[in-house]
Amino acid sequence: MPFLHGNCSTMDSCNKKPDNIGFQWLIMQYPCRLSLEQVQNLCPRPALALKPTWGASQRGCKGLFLGGSGYSNCRIAVAKRWQVLFIVLLFAIMITGGVVAGAAQTFSCVKTTMTHEFDCPGSGGNSSGFHLSLGACQVVSTCEQRYQLGFQFGYVDGVMGAVALDDSTATAQSGYLYLGSAKSASRPGPCKGTPNTQGVYTLVPPVDRPAHISSADCNALLSPVNSHGNRNPQGVTGPYDRDYLGGGPAMKIKDGDTNLILLIYHAEFQYGSPRPGLANLFFGTLGMAVSKDDGKTFRKLGQIIQPHSSRKTWKKNSPNKALSVGNGPFVLGDEHGQPVSPRNPDPEQTYMYVYYIDQEPNVCNGQQCLAVARARLADILKAVDDPNGAAVPYLFRKYYKGPLEKEGHFDEPAATTDPNNNIPSGRYTPVLDKAFSPSIIYDPTSRRALLAYQVPNQHTIAFRLSSNLVELPASTQLAILDERPNHGVRYPSLIQTGGEDDPQLWIFYTHDPVDSKGSWDTATFMARQIQITAIPK
């Protein structure tokens, strides 16, 4: 339902005497929510919004929200239809009437048709002796619901992580903690923690409804150096996580008597002129963080993976193109690349395999392709206990197979110690091309790794199931999630809920009208349950 925003206790009636230009005012101090029906009781005469808060087409009062730094209040003008001609004059009055000058930021959710299960029924496919079935779609949250929880955009901008709340071994009754990337509302009303901050946030599903977000802690667990965003990106020097930080894939690991949550985040150094309506250009890298208090707080360990190119070289050679690194989904495996269950792994014999996007001019036709790097789990745990983090840049090694080699090796450095990313990192060998925004998880039924990724330019999500973490041939493709012609799908997140004896796999993703170009104000966060079964021989 569309809402107006303001403070009900200080609201003046719409029936107030019109001012000298014929406008009737409804003045409200942020924050408050009024339904259209409530406002119509205050404004019984037909009215027209200057700009609809929710982009809806219903009759009645609708509002204009001005947010961002420097705005002390929100004025909502309610006018008769014939008075729309005074819009320009109204803006002049608002500016001169005490609203501090600055960049106006309008937050709106475009009214879209609610998706039902019959709009996107289940589907499936077979490969390598297994069958994957996708359940019918479920609506996790709409744009309006995310806004009411205090978020401007997201969740989830990238890959969502999930960990059990009670202990390191999940049970069917466990509560779960979801970790996703978003940006909070500009004003402190709906977000009482860290307003107008982009970063990693806690999302909480009900115990019995994992495909629903019932609450969120609007307090950023992690954020970039410029937590409010970079409105004037420039230069090539500065921290790797200066302008954006999104996460993230997460896993609970037991280290002796301590339960840790390891989280990987996508970081951006942005550059170039601001692009209205588009994301800033950026050089992407991956960092790692740890929590020792069951996800209440996280501490950055530092950067772990950098694409091959240096930041300076990339900006010089590709001034109009961003270098994405993906979101760093990971899975555990042994020395030979065989998937390992995350239930009580042996740190000395287990590696963390992190999937990311890399680029070299003479590799993968010069395109950005899917790559993998790994680090021994025991070495990661040692780095967690090092307050200086000196070992973090050396933890991960890229998978690389030379032109004359039959087998690849993990011997190329995945990061450098240069604070400005102006030294190239190691070479890489792609494990898959044409794969964007990947997510990966261990499937306990098949004991294989399930990979989901967005197929570029097709608005679909593909699935692959493999027993080898560095080999993903075409024969491993299982199924395609396709909601065309009406909707496109993106940003897949694979998570597991339930107990060890009854695991439940899910794919969370966003879908929106195909012609919306991936706008958050039209995106709906969705989920489907996944079942993988062996095909009888």
Side-chain angles (χ1 to χ4, degrees), residues 25 66 71 75 88-101:
W25 287 94
L66 295 179
Y71 283 89
R75 286 188 173 186
V88 176
L89 181 58
L90 174 61
F91 269 98
I93 292 176
M94 290 177 66
I95 294 173
T96 59
V99 180
V100 180

Side-chain angles (χ1 to χ4, degrees), residues 24 39-40 57-58 69 108 119 189 235 290 310 314 330 371 506 535:
Q24 295 170 324
V39 176
Q40 285 170 340
S57 60
Q58 294 95 329
S69 176
S108 62
D119 294 323
V290 64
S310 70
W314 176 260
F330 63 90
W506 296 85
I535 300 174

